[in-house]
Amino acid sequence: MTTHPLDRALALAHSDIRAGLFTGATSADYWNMVGPFGGTTAAAMLQSVLKHPDLLGAPVALTVNYAAALEAGAFELLAVPVRTNRSTQHWTIQMSQADAEGRPQVASTGTAVTALRRETWGASDLPMPEVPPPSEVERLSIGPGKVAWLDRYEMRPISGTIPTHWDGSGDHSETRMWLRDAPARPLDFAALAALCDCFYPRVWLRRAKPVPIGTVSITTYFHVDAAQLAGVGDGYLLGRATGQQFSNGYFDQAAQLWSEAGALLATSNQIVYFKE
């Protein structure tokens, strides 16, 4: 079988001399306008934790801070378990890339928390919105010549699609859409981390103006374990994203992802820079 593009993008080689040190490379399949799609950067950083020989449990939280844009080519990841308790583990993650003189430069930093989950009482105060099924929603078509990573996701916008007229007439920042990897791929934690970043910048919708932007930091919370993810398979996820505050060159963007069965899988928040 052909290797899925996401698995190629997340392929990491572990060092023989230091635990938690990995090498990888950017993927042309997930290229954005001036660098890799930020979702795959976050997914690669999480992957370094998931592949660490001392991993305890499964992801609960992931924060990625984008310090600089990645260039096309190789990078290094260092995942360090800084504290391991009986059921939780705390991590620091650093992604670096050599500059033109071969000196390592930090591109992204991050933290993660993994844990052994146990069965407890549970409830959700954030039910999935009532929306038409994926089969009744048209797939988004961006057209040729756009950024590569958009072709790696099947997106079916229900509301809040990207503006067709950049005339400053925006009046809200909410998008709802069905989405999944393209081609379809069984869901795992790394893919889920990337999917949380699939929404275009909320400031574009709120203003109907395509100002330059860049994500500064994104935090993702995982609300499922591996068995629950396996139950989702390669089905669609319902995504909802909205902005909350836009001011002084920054805005925040919140997102939620549910399974087709209505289970809340992950929530995320990010802070984004925009330029006037």
Side-chain angles (χ1 to χ4, degrees):
M1 295 179 62
T2 303
T3 303
H4 193 281
L6 184 60
D7 293 306
R8 293 197 298 269
L10 299 182
L12 299 177
H14 190 234
S15 168
D16 293 331
I17 59 175
R18 182 173 183 180
L21 179 62
F22 298 87
T23 55
T26 58
S27 170
D29 291 325
Y30 289 90
W31 204 251
N32 204 343
M33 289 177 283
V34 294
F37 164 49
T40 49
T41 298
M45 295 183 75
L46 180 60
Q47 191 81 326
S48 70
V49 171
L50 297 175
K51 287 186 171 294
H52 196 288
D54 298 331
L55 173 65
L56 175 72
V60 173
L62 171 71
T63 295
V64 173
N65 306 306
Y66 300 93
L70 276 176
E71 303 289 341
F75 57 76
E76 282 192 348
L77 278 163
L78 179 62
V80 179
V82 293
R83 176 75 185 227
T84 300
N85 302 317
R86 283 196 299 176
S87 60
T88 60
Q89 198 169 38
H90 297 259
W91 298 81
T92 62
I93 316 162
Q94 181 174 290
M95 175 181 280
S96 60
Q97 194 173 47
D99 62 16
E101 285 73 40
R103 296 169 300 192
Q105 301 291 330
V106 173
S108 296
T109 63
T111 59
V113 178
T114 60
L116 296 172
R117 295 181 182 265
R118 57 188 178 89
E119 290 190 13
T120 65
W121 171 87
S124 178
D125 284 345
L126 196 62
M128 184 173 77
E130 293 187 9
V131 295
S135 60
E136 296 181 8
V137 182
E138 184 177 355
R139 181 174 180 176
L140 178 67
S141 178
I142 300 296
K146 302 299 181 181
V147 293
W149 76 268
L150 293 173
D151 292 330
R152 299 279 63 85
Y153 291 98
E154 181 181 343
M155 303 179 183
R156 296 179 179 268
I158 300 161
S159 61
T161 190
I162 193 165
T164 55
H165 301 288
W166 301 106
D167 56 6
S169 63
D171 60 3
H172 72 91
S173 63
E174 184 188 70
T175 289
R176 296 180 180 184
M177 69 175 173
W178 292 106
L179 69 164
R180 64 177 176 178
D181 287 288
R185 175 186 181 276
L187 188 65
D188 58 21
F189 287 108
L192 186 56
L195 284 158
C196 282
D197 195 33
C198 276
F199 302 91
Y200 69 89
R202 299 296 86 199
V203 70
W204 291 1
L205 180 59
R206 182 62 180 83
R207 299 183 70 187
K209 183 177 180 180
V211 296
I213 62 91
T215 298
V216 177
S217 180
I218 182 170
T219 295
T220 300
Y221 300 110
F222 303 93
H223 305 298
V224 290
D225 58 25
Q228 291 168 312
L229 281 186
V232 175
D234 62 1
Y236 292 93
L237 306 186
L238 176 67
R240 174 185 178 270
T242 185
Q244 297 173 119
Q245 177 69 27
F246 307 81
S247 65
N248 299 327
Y250 292 88
F251 68 92
D252 62 342
Q253 179 166 314
Q256 304 88 38
L257 293 176
W258 293 265
S259 69
E260 289 185 73
L264 183 62
L265 305 179
T267 54
S268 76
N269 287 275
Q270 59 180 283
I271 190 77
V272 185
Y273 161 81
F274 68 93
K275 183 179 180 180
E276 290 293 324

